[in-house]
Each structure stands twice: as C-alpha cells, then as structure tokens.
C-alpha cells in the first residue's frame, strides 16, 4: 500500500475507538427479548452488541449498528431457563462462556440434544429447530453470578425473524404476548382490539 492510500484511511480518536468497545458492564441487557420470555424455561436475557440479530423486543438496542455481516449478542440465563423452540433462516454459532447448556436441534423423533460447556461451540444450521437451556452456572467466567452465558453470533446484517413452535405461540398468547406485523413483541389485547377495529 502506498503512502497516498495510507493517508486516505480513516483515523479514529481515542474517544471514537472507546465507542467501539463493549465491556461486560456496558452490555445493554433486555429482560424479555423473545416471545417465549414469559413462559417456563424461556427466561433468558439478551444483550445485543453488534447488529440487530435475533431480538424481538423494541427495547433491544445494540451498541454497534454499522454493518459487519453478522450480529453478536450475549445470552444469559439462570439454570432451567433459556430460549424455547424456534427456528430461523440465518446461520448461527453458539459458544458457551459460562455454565453448561443443553442445545436441542430438531423436534419429535428427530430431536438431538448436545451438552456444551465453557468454550464449546456449536454451529446451528439455517432453518433447524433449536432450543437452548442453561443446565448450571458451573465453569467458565460469567459477568452475572449464578447464570450461564452464551455468545450468540448470527449471520447477516438485518433483524432475524423467528418461527416459534406452535406451543410457544399459544403459551405466549395465553400470557398476553404476541408478535406484531413487524415481528416485535406486543400486548395480545392491543393487537386483538386493532384487528376487531379494522
């Protein structure tokens, strides 16, 4: 690279560079990121860091929005909680930071569960049904004592739209939660009223 090209490269100040660093204490945790969040076993929290990724809550705001070709988020859960059965068309990689997790791919007779521990990684194929459950908080290093943590990397720059298992959709509706036309969480009563009004 010649000097003229080097001189045209972007220059970042220390302050601008600090804006691209996300420490554990900077993570913007969302308590109810998914349709399954109010259901038994679905109580994981999500901290989007890069890109919009998989969050269904309008409160989920990643720290870094510029395109990277992927989204990166942290997922944490108490033992017994996680994310219930869903699928989407994006590539996804799960890496355990803390605790042990059970990840189940497929459903019914085709279901297969793998247990992952600290520093283990699983590549989830696009379109595969999946669920994740924290088994314990042992091993690794967590920013929140008593929780397991996963690093979730999802392919693409846009928001990912989930397809939830029918029992998740029904259970969420029974607890007053649905997804609106844009795939964001909404109160079921408000959307039912809006549909009746049309």
């Amino acid at each position: 690279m010649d000097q003229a090209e080097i001189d045209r490269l972007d220059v970042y100040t220390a302050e601008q560079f600090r804006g691209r660093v996300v420490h554990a204490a900077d993570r913007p945790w969302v308590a109810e990121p998914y349709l399954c969040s109010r259901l038994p076993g679905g109580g994981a929290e999500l901290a989007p860091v890069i890109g919009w990724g998989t969050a269904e809550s309008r409160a989920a705001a990643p720290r870094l929005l510029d395109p990277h070709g992927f989204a990166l988020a942290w997922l944490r859960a108490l033992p017994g909680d996680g994310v219930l059965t869903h699928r989407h068309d994006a590539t996804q990689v799960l890496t355990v930071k803390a605790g042990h997790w059970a990840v189940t791919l497929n459903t019914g007779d085709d279901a297969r569960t793998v247990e992952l521990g600290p520093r283990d990684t699983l590549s989830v194929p696009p379109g595969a049904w999946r669920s994740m459950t924290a088994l314990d908080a042992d091993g690794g290093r967590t920013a929140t004592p008593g929780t397991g943590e996963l690093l979730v990397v999802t392919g693409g720059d846009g928001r990912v739209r989930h397809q939830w298992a029918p029992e998740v959709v029904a259970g969420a509706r029974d607890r007053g939660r649905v997804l609106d036309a844009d795939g964001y969480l909404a109160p079921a009563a408000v959307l039912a009223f809006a549909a009746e009004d049309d």
Side-chain angles (χ1 to χ4, degrees), residues 84-158:
L84 299 179
T85 306
H86 66 285
R87 66 180 175 182
H88 53 72
D89 291 334
T91 57
Q92 192 167 64
V93 175
L94 309 173
T95 300
V96 176
K97 181 178 182 234
H100 292 87
W101 291 75
V103 179
T104 301
L105 299 181
N106 303 322
T107 59
D109 292 340
D110 295 328
R112 298 292 181 265
T113 300
V114 61
E115 185 176 318
L116 303 174
R119 295 174 303 281
D120 289 344
T121 298
L122 173 66
S123 174
V124 181
W129 289 101
R130 78 229 30 210
S131 64
M132 304 128 205
T133 303
L135 301 175
D136 60 47
D138 302 333
R141 201 170 88 189
T142 180
T144 309
T147 65
E149 286 188 14
L150 284 177
L151 180 65
V152 181
V153 179
T154 306
D157 287 318

Side-chain angles (χ1 to χ4, degrees), residues 4-177:
E5 286 186 66
I6 293 171
D7 291 342
R8 284 191 297 271
L9 293 174
D10 292 336
V11 175
Y12 291 93
T13 66
E15 184 176 311
Q16 288 171 317
F17 184 69
R18 173 59 183 103
R20 302 187 67 77
V21 175
V22 181
H23 292 286
D26 301 331
R27 294 181 194 164
W29 290 104
V30 178
E32 292 187 17
Y34 298 121
L35 185 64
C36 70
S37 294
R38 293 185 179 178
L39 299 177
E45 296 182 337
L46 185 76
V49 177
I50 298 173
W52 294 105
T54 64
E56 295 175 323
S57 170
R58 290 183 187 275
R63 292 286 305 263
L64 301 171
L65 293 172
D66 51 320
H68 283 70
F70 63 89
L72 183 145
W74 290 98
L75 186 81
R76 72 180 176 192
L78 294 168
D81 273 323
V83 182
L84 299 179
T85 306
H86 66 285
R87 66 180 175 182
H88 53 72
D89 291 334
T91 57
Q92 192 167 64
V93 175
L94 309 173
T95 300
V96 176
K97 181 178 182 234
H100 292 87
W101 291 75
V103 179
T104 301
L105 299 181
N106 303 322
T107 59
D109 292 340
D110 295 328
R112 298 292 181 265
T113 300
V114 61
E115 185 176 318
L116 303 174
R119 295 174 303 281
D120 289 344
T121 298
L122 173 66
S123 174
V124 181
W129 289 101
R130 78 229 30 210
S131 64
M132 304 128 205
T133 303
L135 301 175
D136 60 47
D138 302 333
R141 201 170 88 189
T142 180
T144 309
T147 65
E149 286 188 14
L150 284 177
L151 180 65
V152 181
V153 179
T154 306
D157 287 318
R159 256 185 77 235
V160 172
R161 299 282 295 262
H162 294 88
Q163 178 184 354
W164 291 96
E167 63 273 14
V168 174
V169 174
R173 182 177 294 279
D174 289 346
R175 287 165 178 79
R177 301 295 271 176

